[in-house]
């Protein structure tokens, strides 16, 4: 599934690179993850974990599935989205079932590069994830 999303450039004040693009109301794409995205997704997650000093055991840092989300989020009631600008992943989000509770889901992942924060991208991802949850749960 591919969406073209316009984010209000007036909303964000941080992240110069993304903010400059958004001021011009440039297009970003919201896409479901594909195998080709796995490495970039893992890089984004690890970058955020380092930034928040969560690059340690017991956090997503040690998740053995970190580099294969295109496979992990394949079941019908799961989805992982990436936000691209000029072919580069700048944010991502995943939703899936709570283990042992088939009719309950959770937002399992949500990450954005520092430069992409404050621009409304995470809000759009959350909106899409909630719509998905309403459809499947």
């Amino acid at each position: 599934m591919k969406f073209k999303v316009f984010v209000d450039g007036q909303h964000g004040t941080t992240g110069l690179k993304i903010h400059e693009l958004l001021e011009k109301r440039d297009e970003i794409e919201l896409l479901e993850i594909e195998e080709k995205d796995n490495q970039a997704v893992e890089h984004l997650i690890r970058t955020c974990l380092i930034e928040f000093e969560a690059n340690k055991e017991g956090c997503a840092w040690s998740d053995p599935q970190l580099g294969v989300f295109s496979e992990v989020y394949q079941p019908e009631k799961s989805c992982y989205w990436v936000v691209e600008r000029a072919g580069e992943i700048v944010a991502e989000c995943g939703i899936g079932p709570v283990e042992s509770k088939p009719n309950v889901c959770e937002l399992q992942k949500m990450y954005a590069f520092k430069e992409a924060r404050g621009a409304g991208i995470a809000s759009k991802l959350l909106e899409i994830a909630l719509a998905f949850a309403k459809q499947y749960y």
Side-chain angles (χ1 to χ4, degrees), residues 7 11 15 24 26-27 40 49 96 103 107 115 119 123 130 132:
V7 181
H11 183 263
K24 298 174 188 172
D26 280 354
E27 190 173 87
L49 292 173
N103 294 318
L107 185 66
E115 298 80 24
S123 293
L130 288 172
F132 181 89

Side-chain angles (χ1 to χ4, degrees), residues 14-15 42-56 59 61 90 110-118:
T14 61
E42 182 175 0
H43 173 72
L44 172 52
I45 292 171
R46 289 194 185 282
T47 299
C48 291
L49 292 173
I50 290 168
E51 177 185 356
F52 292 103
E53 298 180 4
N55 52 331
K56 55 189 169 193
C59 297
W61 187 266
V90 297
M110 168 96 60
Y111 294 93
F113 278 124
K114 189 175 186 177
E115 298 80 24
R117 296 180 204 147

Side-chain angles (χ1 to χ4, degrees), residues 23-135:
E23 279 184 333
K24 298 174 188 172
R25 297 189 60 82
D26 280 354
E27 190 173 87
I28 60 173
E29 293 183 304
L30 176 65
L31 310 162
E32 288 185 16
I33 193 170
E34 297 178 16
E35 186 177 354
K36 68 175 182 59
D37 301 323
N38 284 333
Q39 187 175 8
V41 164
E42 182 175 0
H43 173 72
L44 172 52
I45 292 171
R46 289 194 185 282
T47 299
C48 291
L49 292 173
I50 290 168
E51 177 185 356
F52 292 103
E53 298 180 4
N55 52 331
K56 55 189 169 193
E57 291 294 318
C59 297
W61 187 266
S62 57
D63 183 347
Q65 299 177 325
L66 202 57
V68 292
F69 282 169
S70 66
E71 296 168 25
V72 172
Y73 286 88
Q74 282 304 309
E76 181 181 1
K77 295 174 86 173
S78 298
C79 198
Y80 206 90
W81 298 274
V82 296
V83 175
E84 288 187 1
R85 170 57 179 99
E88 192 174 317
I89 293 174
V90 297
E92 57 192 74
C93 160
I95 191 168
V98 173
E99 197 171 313
S100 78
K101 296 185 180 188
N103 294 318
V104 178
C105 68
E106 64 181 343
L107 185 66
Q108 296 173 339
K109 306 282 186 228
M110 168 96 60
Y111 294 93
F113 278 124
K114 189 175 186 177
E115 298 80 24
R117 296 180 204 147
I121 294 171
S123 293
K124 183 50 106 175
L125 279 169
L126 186 57
E127 180 183 318
I128 298 296
L130 288 172
F132 181 89
K134 287 178 185 176
Q135 180 179 353

